[in-house]
Amino acid sequence: MNSSLVGNQSGRPFCLLAMSYLETINFCLLEVVIIVFLMVLIISGNIIVIFVFHCAPLLNHHTTSYFIQTMAYADLLVGVSCLVPSLSLLHYPIVLSESLVCQIFGYVVSVLKSVSMASLACISIDRYIAITKPLTYNTLVTPWRLRICILTIWLYSCLVFLPSFHWGKPGYHGDVFQWCANSWNTDPYFTLFIVVMLYAPAAFIVCFTYFNIFRICQQHTKEINERRVRFSSQDGEAGEAQPCPDKRYAMVLFRITSVFYILWLPYIIYFLLESSNVYSNRVASFLTTWLAISNSFCNCVIYSLSNSVFQKGLKRLSGAICASCARQRVAKDSSTSRSKRSSNGCHV
């Protein structure tokens, strides 16, 4: 952001949300609460998703599980990286200079969210191929090609944001640092570069593929229902409308994608406005940034509420944890009772 933002004055800590500063404490209360709260939700939610995928073999039946797990690991690292601004706002001593920490943090979070965005685009392509080319899908989409695609996603995301160290700020993730907010400005050409190389292609792929997926599903549903009605009329039985079998799973992925872009749209709009020197506001910067980062937790919630196989895997995981706790409790009680009996025997 521009240097018009107010820095550290009269010994007060640098707070993007001025209302969060209290005279009785020497750190930004509201910022710390928001970031720590999101950090806990993101880390715990994505750890659960990763464990469920490892405990539910049926989830790995779909090739999209590769990309879902990639997103989960990227989102988990986003939650871990949130520890850096939390320590900074709490004035925890950091060995490196503030400018370097700010740049590294902004770069890392930008790369991780780029991985999520590219993974969503790859998921939509995968579902599009599965519906348009069902007979050749298994030969086109192989585990080896999926691994190559995931590796390409990570390498591409790292390379796209690499010029940020010399070209300009890649986003507002580091604005909790005073140097980031006041001295590290965005560059309109770098912003255009990010939009052309990442945001626009990903959005176009997602819109194109899901539009065609739902159009094809609607057409298949219509054909299936017409055949069912025709055969049922010949047999004298009433036919029921049957939805496209791929549409339900596509809807889960579509919800994840829609929420991703809804939460990231304010951030992208503000990114463009600030880069073009049209609008700059430190409160808007903070809120749009951490609203976008909250998507790292929303993916877990949407997938767990929408996918029945995931829900079964979650119940299986929780059941295994409860059974393990119960076994430990029984073992502890039995050892306690044995120790009591042995102690009573000594007194006899």
Side-chain angles (χ1 to χ4, degrees):
M1 298 175 66
N2 295 335
S3 58
S4 58
L5 297 184
V6 179
N8 193 359
Q9 296 178 354
S10 303
R12 290 187 173 190
F14 174 75
C15 299
L16 285 171
L17 305 178
M19 67 199 74
S20 62
Y21 177 75
L22 298 176
E23 295 292 341
T24 55
I25 57 177
N26 193 35
F27 61 86
C28 308
L29 178 62
L30 189 54
E31 285 94 330
V32 171
V33 170
I34 293 174
I35 294 175
V36 171
F37 178 70
L38 287 177
M39 181 179 67
V40 173
L41 288 181
I42 292 170
I43 293 176
S44 58
N46 284 284
I47 286 177
I48 292 173
V49 169
I50 292 169
F51 272 109
V52 169
F53 267 97
H54 284 287
C55 294
L58 287 176
L59 284 171
N60 293 319
H61 175 69
H62 294 282
T63 55
T64 51
S65 66
Y66 286 86
F67 297 111
I68 295 290
Q69 291 181 71
T70 300
M71 290 174 56
Y73 281 109
D75 291 335
L76 175 62
L77 292 175
V78 169
V80 173
S81 67
C82 290
L83 183 64
V84 177
S86 302
L87 294 176
S88 174
L89 290 171
L90 290 170
H91 303 291
Y92 190 85
I94 300 176
V95 177
L96 302 176
S97 64
E98 185 183 34
S99 60
L100 183 59
V101 173
C102 159
Q103 288 179 314
I104 293 176
F105 175 74
Y107 172 77
V108 168
V109 177
S110 298
V111 168
L112 293 174
K113 298 317 297 179
S114 173
V115 170
S116 295
M117 191 175 293
S119 297
L120 289 172
C122 289
I123 287 173
S124 65
I125 294 174
D126 174 79
R127 291 298 88 199
Y128 179 75
I129 296 174
I131 292 176
T132 57
K133 300 180 184 292
L135 299 179
T136 59
Y137 175 79
N138 290 330
T139 58
L140 292 174
V141 183
T142 61
W144 173 250
R145 290 180 178 176
L146 287 172
R147 294 187 184 98
I148 293 295
C149 184
I150 292 172
L151 179 61
T152 304
I153 288 173
W154 282 95
L155 290 176
Y156 183 79
S157 300
C158 291
L159 292 174
V160 164
F161 288 98
L162 196 59
S164 63
F165 288 97
H166 299 286
W167 203 346
K169 188 189 299 183
Y172 303 96
H173 309 295
D175 275 4
V176 292
F177 302 98
Q178 188 172 1
W179 185 89
C180 269
N182 294 340
S183 304
W184 197 22
N185 298 321
T186 56
D187 186 284
Y189 296 104
F190 184 54
T191 302
L192 180 63
F193 174 77
I194 295 297
V195 170
V196 171
M197 298 299 293
L198 181 62
Y199 296 155
F204 174 78
I205 290 172
V206 167
C207 293
F208 174 81
T209 52
Y210 278 115
F211 173 79
N212 284 279
I213 285 172
F214 289 115
R215 182 179 59 82
I216 294 170
C217 283
Q218 188 176 11
Q219 183 179 355
H220 286 177
T221 302
K222 183 179 179 181
E223 293 175 356
I224 292 171
N225 292 335
E226 287 177 354
R227 292 176 183 177
R228 185 175 292 275
V229 170
R230 184 167 62 252
F231 287 116
S232 62
S233 61
Q234 293 176 358
D235 297 335
E237 297 179 356
E240 296 181 358
Q242 296 292 327
C244 175
D246 293 314
K247 189 174 182 178
R248 183 177 299 176
Y249 192 68
M251 279 299 299
V252 176
L253 302 173
F254 179 73
R255 291 190 192 105
I256 293 176
T257 307
S258 300
V259 170
F260 181 91
Y261 281 99
I262 288 173
L263 293 178
W264 273 83
L265 187 61
Y267 167 84
I268 295 173
I269 292 175
Y270 183 80
F271 186 26
L272 296 174
L273 291 176
E274 202 282 334
S275 300
S276 56
N277 295 320
V278 174
Y279 177 75
S280 178
N281 183 276
R282 64 183 182 182
V283 176
S285 168
F286 182 87
L287 294 180
T288 55
T289 295
W290 294 96
L291 177 66
I293 290 178
S294 69
N295 175 257
S296 297
F297 172 72
C298 294
N299 291 338
C300 316
V301 176
I302 297 170
Y303 205 75
S304 60
L305 294 179
S306 304
N307 191 287
S308 58
V309 180
F310 185 90
Q311 292 172 4
K312 293 178 182 177
L314 185 60
K315 290 179 181 178
R316 179 180 174 183
L317 177 63
S318 59
I321 294 174
C322 292
S324 177
C325 293
R327 285 194 297 268
Q328 291 179 0
R329 190 181 300 110
V330 170
K332 184 178 180 180
D333 293 341
S334 60
S335 62
T336 303
S337 61
R338 282 197 301 269
S339 63
K340 287 183 177 179
R341 285 196 298 270
S342 61
S343 61
N344 291 334
C346 293
H347 288 290
V348 175

